[in-house]
């Protein structure tokens, strides 16, 4: 049986990759699907719209915004932009029955984005001169004889094992049996596409008969896997992952409200095998942008993680050619443009809907949740580091710098709570109408929850979960706090206080299994109103105060950064034997994480990978420094708030800086 391999979705970018392989192997037990049938809702979503293939073939004009995009796509990307001769429905995978291979667009490409017209609206891609690209150019004659295009294949692209410069971290000579088992399980979780490793499934429990989407590669779940592989000297899978997900990135903003915005990265993807005619099958990468996900949540964190991983790949392997590639640079710009687009929001923090990150269900984290802000800040720092500055990117780089500076001020100043700040809030006056109000967000002191009064230790503090007008969400969210430490979103003093808090509140945050996703749980009326009576998120379960061992690696990183390595060791040692006995459960329930979660998957890959990454980091703490950021004093010097530019008022940041710095 022949198998063709390709990636596709109708919002395909110019560098769209179609790979054809001739193999009879169908990977990962992926379901065979009849051509044209893999998206149940797609016909609905597509109603009234031309098929995706019409992006470059003549078609009637689309209305309004879509028309603009259509013209750009058709005139700029043609002839290198290939429509699939046979298309599945909207933005699902689609199949190509021709014998063509498209790998990389080599034409000069100028892509107009539709955000912030005055600033960084143009993503300019120069003639394909990516440092790493060694294109083999072939000519494709599509089934439609009118479409002729030059396409290129990169030699050895998916075969870059241990590129020069990589330092193999030799895992301890004597690996424990638990570590050996974990490495084996991690390898077993690897997903292959056309014979090359491209990611890891979310969970790999052979006994699970209803895996839902846990048999997919989740972008966020792959992060600890990627780090484990990289730290072990395995670059190939990460490189492949980064390039393949880049091809899945949403390229076109359409008028259909169920389509993702330009630059969005999918939450997950799967490898499917579709049957062509006769004996022929083909492999496709099928992304999910949230349109199939429970609750239709938007994976805002995916693109941010993608950028963070891209930087980590360069740092750990020493192979910087990947991030220098034109298509990769474009991918970074698209993600950041999407995040930096102007909206109605007044804050420098990113405004998102509920469930847009690791907590991908309704949990009252819509607005400006800390986790997203910390990842956003890191992605901006990565972007600043990786983007080549030229005429096409200078406006974006300026926007990144401005945002970094404003965002760090905003979070450090307004999200921080410790005893002193609590006392301030406790005595807040309200209804202040003026530019220099102390209680800027009109927080009513009655909002301070009872549990918090006695909870914060004298020496500790943390960043609250969310801030909105008249609303502080005082819950402690672990990922957001740890990632603020790692990225230096919080000040050195705040970092120390966060670790003090975790140490001081060990039973609450670490308990029997590290680490609580958030503290405390929503109970009673709060649970009913905020989660919508979600039976999966009952108090002290799953996202609502459950314990997630995958968070260990971020804890290890934060501990190493702040010189508290013994805390991480304590947590890892405690988890080690339990994890193996509990078959690498996804999460734990109860106040102190005593029981395996009610609906926890077993053999959860990011539990395994999080453990392994923590182990390797603790054994090679010098490697950890490649993954975190130190304070950036230059950024702090920048003052971009509007107040400083007007003569009306002194910028409050200048005053605040003296308090906040060091
Ligand atoms: C759950 C988690 C999410 C994770 C996914 C796959 O939906 O909430 O964070 O990415 O499972 O493991």
């Amino acid at each position: 049986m022949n198998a063709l391999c390709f990636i596709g979705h109708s919002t395909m970018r110019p560098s769209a990759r179609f790979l054809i392989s001739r193999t009879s192997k169908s990977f990962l037990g992926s379901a065979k699907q009849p051509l044209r049938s893999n998206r149940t809702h797609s016909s609905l979503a597509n109603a009234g719209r031309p098929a995706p293939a019409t992006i470059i073939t003549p078609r009637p004009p689309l209305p309004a915004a879509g028309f603009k995009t259509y013209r750009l796509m058709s005139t700029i990307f043609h002839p290198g932009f290939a429509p699939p001769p046979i298309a599945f429905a909207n933005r699902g995978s689609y199949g190509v029955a021709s014998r063509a291979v498209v790998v990389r667009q080599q034409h000069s490409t100028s892509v107009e984005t539709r955000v912030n017209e005055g600033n960084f609206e143009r993503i300019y891609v120069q003639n394909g001169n990516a440092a790493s690209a060694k294109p083999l150019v072939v000519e494709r004659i599509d089934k439609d004889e009118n479409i002729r295009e030059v396409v290129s294949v990169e030699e050895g692209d998916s075969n870059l094992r241990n590129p020069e410069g990589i330092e193999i971290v030799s895992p301890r000579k004597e690996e424990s049996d638990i570590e050996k088992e974990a490495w084996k399980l991690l390898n077993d979780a690897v997903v292959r596409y056309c014979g090359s490793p491209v990611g890891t499934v979310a969970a790999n429990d052979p006994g699970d008969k209803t895996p839902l989407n846990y048999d997919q590669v989740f972008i966020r779940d792959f992060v600890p896997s990627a780090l484990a592989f990289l730290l072990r000297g395995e670059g190939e899978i990460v490189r492949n992952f980064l390039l393949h997900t880049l091809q899945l990135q949403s390229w076109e903003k359409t008028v259909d409200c169920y389509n993702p915005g330009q630059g969005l990265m999918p939450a997950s993807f799967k490898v499917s095998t579709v049957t062509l005619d006769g004996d022929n099958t083909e492999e496709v990468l099928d992304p999910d942008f949230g349109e199939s996900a429970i609750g239709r949540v938007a994976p805002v964190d995916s693109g941010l993680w993608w950028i963070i991983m891209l930087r980590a790949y360069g740092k750990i392997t020493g192979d910087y050619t990947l991030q220098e590639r034109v298509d990769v640079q474009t991918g970074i710009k698209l993600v950041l443009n999407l995040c930096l687009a102007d909206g109605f929001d007044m804050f420098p923090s990113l405004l998102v809907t509920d469930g847009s990150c690791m907590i991908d269900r309704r949990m009252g984290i819509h607005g400006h949740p800390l986790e997203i802000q910390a990842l956003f800040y890191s992605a901006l720092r990565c972007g600043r580091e990786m983007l080549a500055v030229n005429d096409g990117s200078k406006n974006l780089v300026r926007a990144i710098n401005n945002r970094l500076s404003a965002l760090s001020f905003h979070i450090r100043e307004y999200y921080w709570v410790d005893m002193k700040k609590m006392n301030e809030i406790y005595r807040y006056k309200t209804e202040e109408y003026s530019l220099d109000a102390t209680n800027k967000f009109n927080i009513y002191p009655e909002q301070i929850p009872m549990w918090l009064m006695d909870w914060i230790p004298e020496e500790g503090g943390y960043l609250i979960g969310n801030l909105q007008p008249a609303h502080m969400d005082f819950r402690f969210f672990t990922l957001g706090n740890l990632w603020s430490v790692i990225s230096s979103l919080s000040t050195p003093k705040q970092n120390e206080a966060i670790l003090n808090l975790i140490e001081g509140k060990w039973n609450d945050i670490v308990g029997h299994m590290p680490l609580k996703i958030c503290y405390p749980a929503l109970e009673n009326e709060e649970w009913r109103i905020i989660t919508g009576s979600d039976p999966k998120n009952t108090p002290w379960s799953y996202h609502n105060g459950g314990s997630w061992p995958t968070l260990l690696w971020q804890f290890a990183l934060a501990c190493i950064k702040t010189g508290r390595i013994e805390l991480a060791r304590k947590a890892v040692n405690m988890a080690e034997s339990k994890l193996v006995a509990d078959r690498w459960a996804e999460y734990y329930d109860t106040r102190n994480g005593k029981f395996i979660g009610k609906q926890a998957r077993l053999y959860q890959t990011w539990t395994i990978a999080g453990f392994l990454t923590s182990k390797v980091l603790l054994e090679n703490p010098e490697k950890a420094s490649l993954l975190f950021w130190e304070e950036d004093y230059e950024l702090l010097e920048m003052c971009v708030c509007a107040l400083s530019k007007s003569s009306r008022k002194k910028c409050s940041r200048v005053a605040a800086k003296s308090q906040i710095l060091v």
Side-chain angles (χ1 to χ4, degrees):
M1 195 179 285
N2 294 327
L4 307 178
C5 298
F6 63 89
I7 300 175
H9 63 95
S10 68
T11 53
M12 195 170 65
R13 51 194 299 130
S15 52
R17 169 177 296 212
F18 289 75
L19 299 175
I20 295 182
S21 87
R22 296 189 158 274
T23 163
S24 58
K25 231 171 153 195
S26 122
F27 299 105
L28 293 157
S30 40
K32 281 189 184 173
Q33 297 167 355
L35 211 57
R36 287 178 182 278
S37 68
N38 66 334
R39 317 295 284 201
T40 45
H41 77 287
S42 52
S43 50
L44 248 186
N46 236 11
R49 295 181 51 203
T54 55
I55 288 168
I56 70 156
T57 49
R59 68 175 180 183
L62 293 170
F67 180 57
K68 186 177 175 189
T69 310
Y70 156 67
R71 279 188 46 223
L72 276 165
M73 299 287 280
S74 61
T75 53
I76 294 170
F77 300 160
H78 190 267
F81 182 62
I86 304 167
F88 289 135
N90 183 34
R91 234 203 57 255
S93 322
Y94 48 62
V96 186
S98 74
R99 301 270 176 240
V101 181
V102 178
V103 172
R104 168 92 50 92
Q105 165 78 2
Q106 290 295 314
H107 303 278
S108 288
T109 312
S110 173
V111 182
E112 191 180 336
T113 63
R114 290 180 292 154
V115 292
N116 280 9
E117 299 283 329
N119 290 329
F120 37 89
E121 75 277 17
R122 256 175 197 281
I123 292 174
Y124 181 69
V125 183
Q126 288 217 313
N127 236 337
N129 57 353
S132 66
K134 221 173 161 205
L136 162 69
V137 177
V138 297
E139 193 175 76
R140 163 189 167 135
I141 308 290
D142 208 283
K143 269 198 158 174
D144 177 348
E145 294 297 327
N146 295 325
I147 302 169
R148 170 186 287 257
E149 63 185 11
V150 175
V151 295
S152 63
V153 181
E154 249 178 51
E155 281 174 308
D157 197 25
S158 61
N159 209 12
L160 235 176
R161 206 181 178 85
N162 302 340
E164 233 189 314
I166 193 167
E167 188 189 339
I168 309 264
V169 175
S170 60
R172 258 204 336 242
K173 297 256 160 38
E174 295 283 307
E175 262 176 355
S176 70
D177 287 346
I178 296 177
E179 284 165 76
K180 280 187 196 136
E181 170 177 327
W183 282 115
K184 184 183 173 306
L185 291 170
L186 185 60
N187 281 325
D188 291 348
V190 167
V191 172
R192 289 179 178 276
Y193 171 64
C194 297
S196 301
V198 291
T200 47
V201 283
N204 200 19
D205 179 4
D208 187 357
K209 298 289 173 265
T210 48
L212 295 177
N213 52 353
Y214 281 81
D215 57 358
Q216 303 205 10
V217 181
F218 277 75
I219 290 8
R220 73 175 76 84
D221 291 43
F222 184 65
V223 178
S225 298
L227 295 178
F229 285 123
L230 286 173
L231 290 167
R232 209 185 158 100
E234 294 277 347
E236 182 196 356
I237 185 170
V238 182
R239 185 184 166 89
N240 290 343
F241 170 89
L242 288 165
L243 288 173
H244 284 296
T245 44
L246 176 67
Q247 302 305 330
L248 296 174
Q249 184 182 36
S250 172
W251 180 251
E252 184 193 12
K253 173 83 176 162
T254 72
V255 289
D256 186 329
C257 60
Y258 289 110
N259 273 337
Q262 189 189 48
L264 193 73
M265 286 281 183
S268 62
F269 66 84
K270 64 181 171 198
V271 180
S272 301
T273 303
V274 294
T275 308
L276 296 173
D277 44 58
D279 269 355
N280 288 327
T281 61
E282 54 190 13
E283 281 193 338
V284 295
L285 287 189
D286 187 3
D288 178 7
F289 288 86
E291 73 275 35
S292 306
I294 296 162
R296 303 295 185 259
V297 279
V300 178
D301 63 339
S302 287
L304 307 174
W305 279 124
W306 183 85
I307 291 179
I308 292 167
M309 259 191 280
L310 179 65
R311 174 192 183 258
Y313 173 86
K315 283 275 183 185
I316 298 176
T317 64
D319 170 18
Y320 291 100
T321 58
L322 183 67
Q323 57 185 250
E324 288 161 6
R325 279 171 53 146
V326 174
D327 53 350
V328 174
Q329 288 274 314
T330 305
I332 302 172
K333 289 176 196 169
L334 284 177
V335 173
L336 295 181
N337 271 339
L338 183 61
C339 295
L340 292 167
D342 282 339
F344 288 109
D345 198 22
M346 304 285 285
F347 303 154
S349 42
L350 201 55
L351 176 66
V352 297
T353 50
D354 213 344
S356 59
C357 51
M358 176 186 181
I359 296 179
D360 53 0
R361 291 171 86 86
R362 178 173 164 190
M363 266 291 288
I365 56 162
H366 49 275
H368 304 87
L370 180 65
E371 173 170 339
I372 288 289
Q373 312 317 321
L375 295 177
F376 179 35
Y377 183 78
S378 308
L380 288 171
R381 287 195 72 167
C382 294
R384 199 166 65 134
E385 232 177 273
M386 294 189 294
L387 278 175
V389 183
N390 51 38
D391 281 351
S393 67
K394 64 176 197 289
N395 288 341
L396 175 60
V397 172
R398 192 178 312 125
I400 290 174
N401 278 324
N402 287 345
R403 195 60 168 258
L404 274 169
S405 146
L407 180 61
S408 75
F409 169 76
H410 184 79
I411 301 289
R412 291 167 173 207
E413 178 74 355
Y414 303 125
Y415 277 59
W416 184 251
V417 288
D418 55 12
M419 285 298 255
K420 185 164 163 274
K421 184 69 178 285
M422 292 259 302
N423 209 112
E424 249 171 60
I425 301 171
Y426 186 72
R427 291 166 50 78
Y428 264 166
K429 290 188 183 52
T430 57
E431 319 302 328
E432 292 175 280
Y433 178 83
S434 79
L435 273 173
D436 48 7
T438 313
N439 181 6
K440 293 197 168 50
F441 305 98
N442 202 32
I443 306 297
Y444 302 108
E446 290 72 19
Q447 277 178 28
I448 302 176
M450 292 306 284
W451 62 267
L452 188 55
M453 303 275 196
D454 301 320
W455 196 67
I456 291 202
E458 281 293 336
E459 301 299 310
Y462 69 99
L463 297 165
I464 59 168
N466 210 334
L467 176 70
Q468 323 251 37
H471 181 201
M472 287 175 102
D473 181 345
F474 286 100
R475 282 176 291 172
F476 172 86
F477 285 86
T478 304
L479 201 162
N481 272 281
L482 292 179
W483 207 257
S484 300
V485 173
I486 294 163
S487 64
S488 279
L489 172 57
S490 33
T491 69
K493 257 192 191 163
Q494 290 174 339
N495 294 343
E496 215 177 291
I498 291 171
L499 269 296
N500 288 345
L501 178 108
I502 297 177
E503 187 176 18
K505 294 288 152 188
W506 192 261
N507 274 344
D508 291 334
I509 298 171
V510 180
H512 293 276
M513 178 52 73
L515 291 114
K516 277 246 157 300
I517 197 166
C518 66
Y519 181 91
L522 300 168
E523 300 188 81
N524 307 318
E525 270 305 271
E526 267 193 332
W527 166 76
R528 199 179 62 74
I529 294 166
I530 296 174
T531 73
S533 306
D534 184 347
K536 198 164 179 186
N537 273 337
T538 50
W540 306 107
S541 181
Y542 201 48
H543 298 140
N544 188 12
S547 302
W548 292 68
T550 187
L551 295 170
L552 258 181
W553 71 271
Q554 330 211 18
F555 184 49
L557 212 45
C559 287
I560 295 169
K561 178 173 170 182
T562 50
R564 309 285 280 270
I565 197 163
E566 78 292 350
L567 282 184
R569 287 218 176 95
K570 192 169 144 194
V572 172
N573 289 343
M574 193 213 355
E576 186 157 357
S577 54
K578 254 186 125 207
L579 283 177
V580 75
D582 296 344
R583 288 174 290 167
W584 310 95
E586 180 188 15
Y587 68 96
Y588 286 71
D589 284 355
T590 77
R591 221 169 243 277
N592 305 117
K594 247 188 197 159
F595 297 144
I596 299 176
K598 231 181 299 168
Q599 297 187 42
R601 307 273 150 174
L602 302 178
Y603 301 102
Q604 180 81 18
T605 306
W606 69 354
T607 299
I608 299 164
F611 163 74
L612 285 173
T613 299
S614 313
K615 276 285 201 187
V616 180
L617 287 175
L618 291 177
E619 279 152 23
N620 304 271
E622 74 289 352
K623 291 280 162 202
S625 62
L626 299 172
L627 300 172
F628 55 66
W629 291 261
E630 295 299 344
E631 179 73 291
D632 185 330
Y633 290 95
E634 245 175 63
L635 267 182
L636 293 174
E637 288 310 311
M638 278 196 264
C639 192
V640 291
C641 74
L643 288 178
S644 68
K645 286 175 195 146
S646 82
S647 54
R648 285 190 304 155
K649 281 280 161 202
K650 199 160 63 88
C651 174
S652 61
R653 291 184 49 201
V654 176
K657 212 156 62 176
S658 55
Q659 276 182 299
I660 283 176
L661 274 178
V662 193

